[in-house]
């Protein structure tokens, strides 16, 4: 009897140990599958940190092969373009971590693929003593034109290939020099003008009148208006509750249709459309154009900030339709809005990394263009695109005109509670071999037509 009791206790202990072993096996499988990528990329992963010390970090290259970042024989990381490319390259420091492409492509630059990172110590057998090179889509001429256009002013510029989503330029000012960022970290991180902020994807701004092409699309799509309707603009719109919306500089546009309203950037017309559309149709429009979505991968874009749809007054609806109220968006997303109308209704997913290349010259990764979403129909995109062409040929965006190039655009002068208005310009340009789209904001600069549109002209000319 006592033998049976001992056997039963042994069986219980064995069953318990098997259960524990089973749970441990399930947990190991969970870590090596679902959590593997996150753990491999985690900056606290000591295996990656240890690998850094033994591996020469790969180079970051522009689309034309120019070096944007490289490691010298003495181990120092250098950035030949300095502050001009900082919004793209980011930085890599022993004590401050990494940002930008240095952070996103960290594993590739160390020669560690996600699969190798999961192998643990066995990965050392496959590891080269030099990391991979990462070739980007950035074109230095466009980047230089963007940075020089912004100059010493705060702002951001995004330029994309309309048909692929490739990021051709991404400039943010003020900037920093990644060559000496570690030594200047304390000063930079404490500056009021936030040089470490990548305004292209992290800066949130009221879009002002640059949102009007989307409102025009939504109003036509939902049958709120048509292209033949005539609006009476006497310069003032009563939105109820004793509040009004006025035209900039006291302008009066008179009797105009929707095309003319886009060309002249008529607040009265678009405020009227916003109140007609109401909360539901306004919210649906922002969702359709992806303002409530993230991009992912190397484009870590801050989410848009929306007014409280469902609780808006008529005045807030009107303000939202002219790009004000509580609406805040990133320059990257406004470039994607321009892409919707320039690319037949399709918005391409933006990307920076074009190829990952081993020290031996083998391409181990190549990004393929990918549609992000379909925002509108080809027919409607063509209508709005033609409206935006009128802005440049005879409206508020004539400063962006380039001889021999079809340029479309929309200016914006966004009211800013903290100071002078922000200057916006978004649009597209048809070059010899491709079409580009862009979004430009110059903080506290005033009118978009006079301050932001000329930067677009410089960028277009740099790519011709």
């Amino acid at each position: 009897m006592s033998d049976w009791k001992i056997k039963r206790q042994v069986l219980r202990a064995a069953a318990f140990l098997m259960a524990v072993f089973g749970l441990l096996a399930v947990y190991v499988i969970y870590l090596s599958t679902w959590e593997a990528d996150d753990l491999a990329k985690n900056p606290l992963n000591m295996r990656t940190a240890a690998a850094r010390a033994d591996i020469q970090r790969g180079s970051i290259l522009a689309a034309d092969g120019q070096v944007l970042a490289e490691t010298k024989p003495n181990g120092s990381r250098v950035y030949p373009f300095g502050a001009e490319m900082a919004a793209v390259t980011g930085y890599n420091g022993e004590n401050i971590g990494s940002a930008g492409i240095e952070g996103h492509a960290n594993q590739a630059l160390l020669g560690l693929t996600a699969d190798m990172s999961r192998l643990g110590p066995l990965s050392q057998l496959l590891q080269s003593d030099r990391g991979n090179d990462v070739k980007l889509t950035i074109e230095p001429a466009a980047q230089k034109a963007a940075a020089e256009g912004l100059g010493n002013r705060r702002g951001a510029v995004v330029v994309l290939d309309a048909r692929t989503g490739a990021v051709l330029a991404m400039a943010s000012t003020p900037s920093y020099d990644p060559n000496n960022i570690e030594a200047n970290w304390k000063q930079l991180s404490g500056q009021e003008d936030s040089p470490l902020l990548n305004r292209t994807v992290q800066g949130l701004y009221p879009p002002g009148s640059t949102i009007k092409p989307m409102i025009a699309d939504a109003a036509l799509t939902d049958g709120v208006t048509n292209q033949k309707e005539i609006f009476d603009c006497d310069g003032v719109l009563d939105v109820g509750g004793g509040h009004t919306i006025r035209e900039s500089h006291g302008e009066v546009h008179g009797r105009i249709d929707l095309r003319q309203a886009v060309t002249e950037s008529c607040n009265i017309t678009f405020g009227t459309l916003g109140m007609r559309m109401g909360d539901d149709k306004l919210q649906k429009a922002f969702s359709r154009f992806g303002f409530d979505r993230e991009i992912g991968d190397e484009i870590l874009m801050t989410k848009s900030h929306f007014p409280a749809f469902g609780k808006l007054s008529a005045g807030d609806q009107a303000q939202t339709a002219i790009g004000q109220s509580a609406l805040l968006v990133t320059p990257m997303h406004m470039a994607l809005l321009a892409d919707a109308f320039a690319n037949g209704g399709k918005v391409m997913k933006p990307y920076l990394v074009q190829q990952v290349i081993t020290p031996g010259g083998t391409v181990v990764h190549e990004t393929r263009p990918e549609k992000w979403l379909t925002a509108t129909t080809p027919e409607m995109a063509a209508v709005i695109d033609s409206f935006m062409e009128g802005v440049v040929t005879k409206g508020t965006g004539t400063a962006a005109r380039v001889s021999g190039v079809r340029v479309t655009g929309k200016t914006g002068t966004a009211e800013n509670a903290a100071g002078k208005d922000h200057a916006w310009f978004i649009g597209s340009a048809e070059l010899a071999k491709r079409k580009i789209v862009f979004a430009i904001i110059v903080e506290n600069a005033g009118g978009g037509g006079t301050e932001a549109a000329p930067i677009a002209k410089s960028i277009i000319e740099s790519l011709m």
Side-chain angles (χ1 to χ4, degrees):
M1 191 70 168
S2 60
D3 289 344
W4 169 243
K5 287 182 179 181
I6 292 173
K7 289 180 181 179
R8 186 166 58 182
Q9 290 174 351
V10 170
L11 287 172
R12 286 177 178 174
F16 175 76
L17 290 173
M18 289 180 65
V20 171
F21 180 79
L23 289 172
L24 182 61
V26 169
Y27 185 62
V28 169
I29 292 170
Y30 169 75
L31 291 177
S32 60
T33 53
W34 285 279
E35 292 294 318
D37 288 337
D38 290 338
L39 290 172
K41 296 174 183 176
N42 195 303
L44 298 178
N45 186 330
M46 296 308 295
R47 187 185 307 135
T48 302
R52 269 197 204 103
D54 300 325
I55 302 168
Q56 181 183 344
R57 196 172 181 83
S59 298
I60 300 175
L61 310 173
D64 62 359
Q66 291 191 65
V67 176
L68 306 184
E70 65 180 340
T71 301
K72 293 295 186 181
N74 65 2
S76 64
R77 191 72 167 165
V78 297
Y79 302 85
F81 286 80
E84 185 178 292
M85 287 283 183
V88 177
T89 60
Y91 54 81
N92 183 66
E94 186 176 343
N95 299 312
I96 60 175
S98 55
I101 289 299
E102 289 278 33
H104 170 77
N106 183 54
Q107 284 187 287
L109 291 166
L110 291 173
L112 292 167
T113 66
D115 290 337
M116 286 174 63
S117 297
R118 294 169 187 159
L119 296 177
L122 292 177
S123 66
Q124 302 302 315
L125 299 175
L126 305 174
Q127 179 64 56
S128 168
D129 60 358
R130 188 187 187 281
N132 299 323
D133 291 339
V134 174
K135 187 176 184 180
L136 306 184
T137 56
I138 292 292
E139 302 205 1
Q143 185 78 8
K144 181 179 181 180
E148 290 182 348
L150 290 171
N152 294 324
R153 301 174 295 180
R154 294 193 301 270
V157 175
V158 177
V159 185
L160 308 175
D161 184 306
R163 297 189 175 97
T164 67
V167 181
L168 307 181
M170 192 167 75
S172 175
T173 55
S175 189
Y176 58 89
D177 187 348
N179 288 294
N180 53 26
I181 187 171
E182 208 149 17
N184 297 324
W185 180 259
K186 187 175 181 180
Q187 176 191 341
L188 290 168
S189 57
Q191 285 184 210
E192 289 186 9
D193 55 4
S194 305
L196 297 173
L197 178 73
N198 185 350
R199 286 166 160 79
T200 62
V201 291
Q202 296 170 334
L204 286 172
Y205 306 92
S209 294
T210 57
I211 205 67
K212 288 174 180 174
M214 187 196 81
I215 299 300
D217 174 292
L220 290 170
T221 298
D222 290 333
V224 170
T225 188
N226 57 62
Q227 294 188 58
K228 294 181 180 180
E229 181 179 1
I230 300 298
F231 298 87
D232 287 310
C233 172
D234 60 4
V236 181
L237 176 65
D238 183 357
V239 297
H243 301 291
T244 59
I245 285 179
R246 296 178 178 273
E247 292 296 345
S248 178
H249 307 298
E251 293 181 76
V252 175
H253 298 122
R255 292 173 58 79
I256 57 174
D257 60 17
L258 189 59
R259 177 184 293 273
Q260 293 168 315
V262 173
T263 301
E264 299 298 329
S265 200
C266 178
N267 286 341
I268 305 309
T269 297
F270 284 94
T272 300
L273 292 175
M275 291 190 292
R276 286 185 192 174
M277 292 171 69
D279 288 22
D280 289 345
K281 288 185 173 64
L282 284 170
Q283 185 174 20
K284 185 175 74 173
F286 282 102
S287 179
R288 180 157 55 90
F289 282 83
F291 281 92
D292 56 355
R293 293 178 56 172
E294 295 180 345
I295 296 172
D297 292 332
E298 66 262 43
I299 309 294
L300 301 177
M301 186 172 67
T302 302
K303 290 183 179 180
S304 304
H305 184 276
F306 299 111
F309 290 120
K311 301 178 181 179
L312 300 185
S313 65
D316 284 328
Q317 293 166 353
Q319 289 282 357
T320 300
I322 62 171
Q324 296 290 165
S325 185
L327 179 62
L328 298 171
V329 299
T330 65
M332 176 63 79
H333 215 130
M334 295 310 293
L336 297 176
L337 175 63
D339 194 35
F341 302 123
N343 196 39
K346 292 186 298 183
V347 180
M348 301 304 291
K349 182 178 179 179
Y351 66 97
L352 274 164
V353 176
Q354 185 177 165
Q355 293 178 329
V356 176
I357 308 167
T358 68
T362 302
V363 176
V364 292
H365 168 78
E366 186 159 13
T367 302
R368 295 183 178 180
E370 177 184 345
K371 185 181 77 172
W372 188 48
L373 54 82
T374 298
T376 190
T377 65
E379 295 77 17
M380 187 60 70
V383 169
I384 305 302
D385 186 62
S386 70
F387 288 2
M388 293 174 70
E389 182 180 14
V391 172
V392 176
T393 57
K394 56 187 176 181
T396 57
T398 55
R401 284 189 298 200
V402 177
S403 178
V405 179
R406 181 179 183 270
V407 181
T408 76
K410 183 68 193 79
T411 57
T413 304
E415 293 180 6
N416 169 33
K420 196 175 177 182
D421 296 344
H422 299 318
W424 275 100
F425 189 68
I426 69 170
S428 69
E430 292 186 25
L431 305 178
K433 296 182 180 179
R434 62 182 169 186
K435 183 181 255 189
I436 64 168
V437 292
F438 45 78
I440 300 158
I441 184 168
V442 187
E443 294 182 21
N444 311 121
T450 57
E451 301 298 330
I455 299 176
K457 179 178 181 179
S458 297
I459 292 168
I460 295 166
E461 290 174 340
S462 77
L463 289 169
M464 289 175 64

